[in-house]
């Protein structure tokens, strides 16, 4: 029996990262406890909604009905009289007396007469419960069978919580990649060997239309040899700052790429994915440079009006901010707007105050991190 339980624990933790394996777990649970069916349920503590994680030996139709709303009438949790990860045995007569409707529409059609139930986990967000069942005419559960439930319950609880955390992490990763793809500025992740590991749609659009920089064989390639040296040097500086984890090492580089057929130079803001000074060790394979790419001559997916509304800026301040994000220097902005350089500087100082920052790079960072997600794609 001990070897069987050890093998079973292995199956339980396999289900934590392979949700389809829960069916195997629930079937083996029935075999070990001499049960006809089993169920694993999670309850949302705020809404009271209950969902079946996995079942064995119960009609799928009943499971669908349970998840569709019938589960709210399941008062099994309220009948539990034991502490977390201990077993409460509920005979059929007690179930029938406490909730005749649930007994009539769920338990009796499923031929469930005896239930051994375990309250696996309970916090402010969720409650997890597990139960095994025997037929109406079957004998009740023995001490040996309930002890098996006590032994394996903590493992099932941990596996469900691990699965939940893995699911949350996957969801966050999908959401993050979705958001990154919608950043209204080109964004790339460049590895230690110069390989581009990620390139959002805006970056693809800019690199496809501007002659100063292109993407060839998954690497950034500048128009001229001199520009390529500047790009390689900037990327290396940023990655070295991450490697040495030095607060004094520059973590941000700005590089521009001109081309005879382009009205404006292409502007790149390069920073490390991990903040310098972090105490976590990062291997060469994991080191990445984050590259924001802007084409001042192209169309951005954000407008000055949107920036003004979000950050409570005046129209003039928002125009200056948008030009800055597009890669223009203050002198270029003054010339573009037909105003004095001191006026632009005054407007930029007002933007600093309203955003609570001290540098132009901080303004750019806040704008591109905040103005997402936006609808639309580059023209």
């Amino acid at each position: 029996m001990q070897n069987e339980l050890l093998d079973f624990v292995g199956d339980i933790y396999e289900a934590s990262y392979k949700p389809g394996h829960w069916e195997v777990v629930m079937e083996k649970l029935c075999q070990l406890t001499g049960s006809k069916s089993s169920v694993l349920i999670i309850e949302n503590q705020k809404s009271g909604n209950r969902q079946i994680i996995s079942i064995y030996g119960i009609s799928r139709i009943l499971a669908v009905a349970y998840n569709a709303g019938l589960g709210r009438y399941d008062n099994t949790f309220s009948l539990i009289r034991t502490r977390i990860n201990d077993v409460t045995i509920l005979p059929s007569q007690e179930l029938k007396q406490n909730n005749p409707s649930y007994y009539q529409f769920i338990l009796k059609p499923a031929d469930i007469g005896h239930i051994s139930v375990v309250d696996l986990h309970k916090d402010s967000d969720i409650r997890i419960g597990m139960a095994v069942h025997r037929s109406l005419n079957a004998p009740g559960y023995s001490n040996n069978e309930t002890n098996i439930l006590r032994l394996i319950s903590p493992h099932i609880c941990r596996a469900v919580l691990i699965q939940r955390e893995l699911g949350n992490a996957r969801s966050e990763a999908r959401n993050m990649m979705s958001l990154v793809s919608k950043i209204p500025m080109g964004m790339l992740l460049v590895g230690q060997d110069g390989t581009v590991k990620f390139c959002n749609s805006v970056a693809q659009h800019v690199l496809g239309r501007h002659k100063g920089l292109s993407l060839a064989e998954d690497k950034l390639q500048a128009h001229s040899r001199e520009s390529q040296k500047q790009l390689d040097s900037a990327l290396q500086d940023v990655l070295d700052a991450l490697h040495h984890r030095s607060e004094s090492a520059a973590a941000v580089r700005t590089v521009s790429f001109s081309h005879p057929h382009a009205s404006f130079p292409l502007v790149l803001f390069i920073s490390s994915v991990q903040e310098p000074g972090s105490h976590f060790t990062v291997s060469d394979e994991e080191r990445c440079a984050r590259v924001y790419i802007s084409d001042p001559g192209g169309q951005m997916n954000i407008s000055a009006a949107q920036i003004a509304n979000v950050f409570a800026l005046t129209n003039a301040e928002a125009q200056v901010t948008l030009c800055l994000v597009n890669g223009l220097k203050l002198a270029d902005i003054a010339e573009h707007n037909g105003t004095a350089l001191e006026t632009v500087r005054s407007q930029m100082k007002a933007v600093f105050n309203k955003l609570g920052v001290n540098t132009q790079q901080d303004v750019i960072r806040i704008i591109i991190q905040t103005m997402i997600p936006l609808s639309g794609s580059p023209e």
Side-chain angles (χ1 to χ4, degrees):
M1 176 59 73
Q2 185 174 3
N3 289 335
E4 283 185 84
L5 287 177
L6 287 174
D7 290 341
F8 184 48
V9 169
D11 281 316
I12 291 170
Y13 286 108
E14 184 174 347
S16 68
Y17 61 90
K18 289 171 58 177
H21 200 67
W22 278 115
E23 294 185 7
V24 174
V25 172
M26 302 311 286
E27 180 179 2
K28 288 189 175 181
L29 178 61
C30 287
Q31 294 170 358
L32 287 169
T33 59
S35 303
K36 66 174 291 291
S37 56
S38 58
V39 62
L40 188 59
I41 293 171
I42 187 167
E43 178 185 64
N44 185 311
Q45 291 283 71
K46 294 180 175 63
S47 67
N49 184 47
R50 297 184 180 123
Q51 293 287 310
I52 291 176
I53 298 174
S54 184
I55 58 170
Y56 174 77
I58 298 176
S59 166
R60 294 286 177 182
I61 296 176
L62 287 176
V64 170
Y66 189 100
N67 288 344
L70 199 55
R72 73 184 62 180
Y73 302 106
D74 179 4
N75 69 338
T76 306
F77 276 130
S78 65
L79 298 177
I80 295 176
R81 297 181 293 272
T82 52
R83 62 185 184 276
I84 294 291
N85 285 327
D86 203 353
V87 181
T88 295
I89 297 177
L90 302 174
S92 57
Q93 287 303 314
E94 183 176 351
L95 294 168
K96 186 175 182 179
Q97 292 171 3
N98 279 281
N99 197 333
S101 297
Y102 186 70
Y103 177 85
Q104 182 69 28
F105 294 108
I106 290 290
L107 299 181
K108 189 175 181 180
D111 189 25
I112 295 175
H114 302 273
I115 300 179
S116 285
V117 59
V118 183
D119 203 357
L120 296 173
H121 175 84
K122 184 178 181 181
D123 59 29
S124 59
D125 295 321
I126 60 169
R127 189 174 185 179
I128 304 169
M130 175 185 69
V132 291
H133 317 119
R134 283 185 174 171
S135 300
L136 290 163
N137 297 324
Y141 286 95
S142 66
N143 290 335
N144 181 57
E145 291 156 347
T146 55
N147 190 50
I148 290 173
L149 286 175
R150 291 188 187 95
L151 290 172
I152 58 95
S153 290
H155 300 290
I156 290 181
C157 176
R158 292 190 197 104
V160 173
L161 294 176
I162 291 170
Q163 178 186 334
R164 180 177 169 83
E165 289 304 313
L166 288 175
N168 290 340
R170 293 188 188 103
S171 178
E172 289 173 5
R174 285 193 297 268
N175 290 340
M176 181 58 68
M177 293 309 292
S178 176
L179 290 177
V180 166
S181 296
K182 295 176 183 178
I183 289 178
M185 195 178 203
M187 178 181 169
L188 307 95
L189 295 180
V190 181
Q192 173 69 15
D193 60 355
T195 301
V196 174
K197 298 185 176 182
F198 175 81
C199 179
N200 74 356
S201 60
V202 179
Q204 291 173 3
H205 171 76
V206 172
L207 292 172
R209 65 184 296 276
H210 198 285
K211 304 298 183 181
L213 190 67
S214 61
L215 191 60
E217 297 181 353
D218 293 329
K219 292 192 175 182
L220 289 171
Q221 185 165 342
H223 164 65
S224 67
R225 183 177 297 178
E226 185 61 32
S227 294
Q228 187 68 45
K229 287 182 180 178
Q230 291 180 9
L231 174 61
D232 292 342
S233 176
L235 287 169
Q236 196 60 51
D237 284 349
V238 168
L239 292 167
D240 284 347
L242 176 59
H243 176 69
H244 297 297
R245 301 193 298 280
S246 170
E247 291 288 356
S248 60
V252 179
R253 285 285 186 269
T254 303
V255 186
S256 62
F257 301 91
S258 301
H259 190 275
H261 298 155
S263 302
F264 294 88
L266 199 62
V267 182
L268 270 63
F269 305 94
I270 306 173
S271 65
S272 58
V273 170
Q274 186 179 11
E275 295 298 325
S278 169
H279 297 292
F280 293 102
T281 301
V282 180
S283 67
D284 285 346
E285 292 77 10
E286 294 172 319
R287 279 192 282 161
C288 279
R290 179 169 42 202
V291 180
Y292 294 111
I293 181 170
S294 173
D295 179 9
Q299 294 293 321
M300 288 291 288
N301 283 355
I302 55 176
S303 66
Q306 288 174 305
I307 294 175
N309 287 335
V310 172
F311 297 99
L313 304 180
T314 66
N315 290 335
E317 292 163 356
Q319 287 286 353
V320 169
T321 302
L322 182 57
C323 288
L324 182 70
V325 173
N326 272 324
L328 297 181
K329 297 179 181 178
L330 296 189
D332 298 327
I333 297 172
E335 182 179 351
H336 180 271
N337 292 344
T339 57
L341 179 56
E342 286 305 315
T343 301
V344 174
R345 285 174 175 164
S346 177
Q347 292 166 338
M348 184 53 60
K349 185 176 181 181
V351 172
F352 285 177
N353 291 334
K354 291 181 179 180
L355 270 61
V357 298
N358 298 310
T359 68
Q360 295 177 21
Q361 289 177 342
D362 284 336
V363 172
I364 294 168
R365 174 180 56 80
I366 289 175
I367 295 299
I368 63 178
Q369 287 180 349
T370 304
M371 301 300 290
I372 56 175
L374 294 176
S375 60
S377 58
E379 297 295 323

